[in-house]
Amino acid sequence: MAILLGGCAEKSSEESEGPAKAGDPLTSLDTLGYVAGVQKAALAGDGEAVRREMAEFQDEFRKSIKLADPARAVDREAARQAARSVPGVRSVAWVDREILFVIVDANEARSYATLDGICLALEPLGDTLGVVVNLQSGAARTGDELELLSRNCQLEPGDRALLSQDRQLDVVDPAVRAQHKANQILSAQSEEDLKRQQESLRILEANTPSVHD
């Protein structure tokens, strides 16, 4: 049991260096540790300890399946104030019950470091597994700079909490941005380069069998 407790203490120390994390499955060793804690408390007749151990187990299980705790939803107005205290943040607004839209002053501030800072500022206010932060640069001048940086506070980029809606808030669709880049590269080519490309395409078409033949 001492080994289990020592492992938990080490894990807590590591997690304290950054935002809380969810999504890691509970191992059989984790489960046995909680069961042993409940049994020990029950044998000692300590009802409060039993409830505490059970609550911790339920909380860890909930995080393992990436389910936000509705009873600990982050207070919206308090979250806005907390997020605005993070260096580089210009303005903050809620898009819906889980998406926090943040505009930063500079392109450099549109980073995961800023996003982590916002999530850490929100942690004392409730369960940040129910919060998705979207960062946008207020100094953006190009489509790439205008692109949103988005992540659930406790999950990896692109991952979503259970029952969460995956909403696309980017002003410019990534596919449109990619096409725009290709057009820019094409327009920057010399006339000679374009002629070579056209000739290559002509030769390819001439030597490719038709599906109608």
Side-chain angles (χ1 to χ4, degrees):
M1 188 65 183
I3 295 175
L4 290 173
L5 293 176
C8 292
E10 182 179 349
K11 183 178 180 182
S12 298
S13 175
E14 291 175 356
E15 290 179 345
S16 65
E17 297 176 3
K21 296 296 181 183
D24 292 333
L26 281 176
T27 67
S28 56
L29 190 61
D30 293 328
T31 304
L32 285 173
Y34 285 112
V35 170
V38 171
Q39 289 177 338
K40 181 180 178 180
L43 289 172
D46 190 342
E48 181 58 33
V50 170
R51 286 189 290 273
R52 183 172 61 251
E53 289 286 342
M54 287 297 297
E56 289 180 4
F57 174 67
Q58 290 170 356
D59 192 51
E60 287 302 314
F61 175 75
R62 178 185 57 75
K63 289 192 293 184
S64 74
I65 64 172
K66 298 181 284 189
L67 178 64
D69 185 355
R72 297 180 54 243
V74 171
D75 180 86
R76 294 188 180 187
E77 185 54 34
R80 286 184 64 252
Q81 296 302 321
R84 290 190 66 179
S85 70
V86 175
V89 171
R90 178 191 297 179
S91 61
V92 182
W94 286 94
V95 175
D96 56 25
R97 62 181 177 83
E98 66 177 339
I99 297 179
L100 189 64
F101 188 79
V102 179
I103 296 179
V104 293
D105 290 327
N107 293 331
E108 295 76 16
R110 186 183 63 89
S111 66
Y112 284 114
T114 301
L115 199 151
D116 284 348
I118 293 171
C119 291
L120 281 169
L122 266 54
E123 284 187 2
L125 306 175
D127 183 17
T128 56
L129 184 53
V131 179
V132 176
V133 177
N134 284 262
L135 291 186
Q136 187 176 67
S137 172
R141 293 293 181 271
T142 68
D144 285 346
E145 293 173 349
L146 195 62
E147 184 180 4
L148 291 177
L149 195 68
S150 177
R151 198 193 77 210
N152 180 291
C153 273
Q154 295 190 32
L155 301 174
E156 295 298 319
D159 201 359
R160 286 289 183 265
L162 190 64
L163 306 180
S164 173
Q165 293 184 343
D166 189 4
R167 295 185 59 181
Q168 176 59 256
L169 298 183
D170 265 324
V171 176
V172 182
D173 187 273
V176 175
R177 188 180 297 111
Q179 183 60 54
H180 179 63
K181 274 187 177 181
N183 292 341
Q184 286 181 319
I185 294 173
L186 191 63
S187 64
Q189 291 179 315
S190 66
E191 185 176 347
E192 187 64 26
D193 290 333
L194 291 174
K195 285 182 178 179
R196 281 199 297 267
Q197 285 185 354
Q198 290 172 351
E199 180 62 16
S200 297
L201 287 173
R202 186 189 67 76
I203 294 172
L204 180 63
E205 290 175 353
N207 290 277
T208 301
S210 172
V211 295
H212 300 291
D213 292 344

